[in-house]
Amino acid sequence: HLRVLETGREILPGDKLFPTEADVGEDFVLSAPANEDVIGQVIAVVDGVYVAGRYQVLAFNRGKRHGLAPGNALGVFDRGMEVRDSFGAGTGWLSPAVNYRRIRLPDERSATVLLFRVYDRMSYGLVVESSQTIRLGDFVAHPRYGHREAGRENYFVR
C-alpha cells in the first residue's frame, strides 16, 4: 500500500515506484557560480517536452569548462521580445511615430535552478522556483545577471 501525502506532479495509472537514494556527495555546497559572466541555454527538458516548471529537470549547454559545479544556483531568463516602437523618442506620448523602429524589451527572470550534475560541457539542474513557464532556448546566467552595479559612478555628480 502507498499513501501519497504531497505531490508536485500528477500520478497516472501505470506509473512505477522506485526506491531512491540521494547521491549528493560531500562536495555539494549551495553557491553562486564563480564565473559571473556564464551564459548558457536550456537545451532539453528531461521529460521530453518543450516547456517546464517547478520541480522539473532541465539540461544546459554549460558545464565544468565554463566554471560551473554541483550546488551552483543559476537564473533562467526569458529573452525580451522584439516589438515595434509605436511611440518614438521625441514624438510625445499621444502622437504615434512614423518609423515604427523595432526595439527589444528587457530580459525577464523566470526561474531559479540548482545544478546537481555537472559534466564537462553540459549540466542538469532542478527548477526550485519559477514565476513563468520555462521554454527550450531560454537562457541561463549568474543569479545576479542584470543586477550588477556597473556604471553606477556615472549617476553621482560631484
Side-chain angles (χ1 to χ4, degrees):
H1 292 278
L2 173 70
R3 180 184 221 176
V4 178
L5 300 176
E6 185 178 327
T7 179
R9 303 176 61 176
E10 69 275 0
I11 300 172
L12 301 173
D15 284 353
K16 309 235 182 312
L17 181 66
F18 295 100
T20 183
E21 294 178 17
D23 182 22
V24 175
E26 294 178 13
D27 61 346
F28 191 86
V29 178
L30 297 176
S31 62
N35 179 6
E36 290 194 15
D37 296 325
V38 66
I39 300 261
Q41 189 172 3
V42 176
I43 57 173
V45 177
V46 170
D47 292 335
V49 292
Y50 295 102
V51 295
R54 189 166 38 165
Y55 304 133
Q56 288 190 285
V57 176
L58 304 175
F60 307 103
N61 66 345
R62 294 292 180 258
K64 289 179 186 172
R65 258 189 200 187
H66 309 96
L68 299 178
N72 283 163
L74 293 173
V76 180
F77 296 85
D78 182 23
R79 295 183 198 283
M81 291 184 355
E82 194 171 288
V83 296
R84 286 188 186 156
D85 181 13
S86 59
F87 297 98
T91 60
W93 176 253
L94 296 176
S95 59
V98 293
N99 62 358
Y100 294 115
R101 65 187 170 131
R102 299 189 65 80
I103 58 170
R104 182 169 296 281
L105 297 176
D107 300 327
E108 188 173 347
R109 186 175 181 150
S110 58
T112 302
V113 295
L114 183 63
L115 301 181
F116 61 90
R117 286 268 191 238
V118 179
Y119 300 100
D120 195 39
R121 292 183 174 179
M122 73 162 296
S123 41
Y124 290 103
L126 176 70
V127 179
V128 293
E129 174 272 328
S130 69
S131 59
Q132 331 176 13
T133 306
I134 303 162
R135 291 178 166 63
L136 290 180
D138 283 357
F139 72 95
V140 294
H142 193 277
R144 284 190 297 229
Y145 174 84
H147 296 286
R148 297 187 188 157
E149 296 186 37
R152 183 175 136 184
E153 62 276 354
N154 296 338
Y155 295 109
F156 297 107
V157 179
R158 293 184 189 237

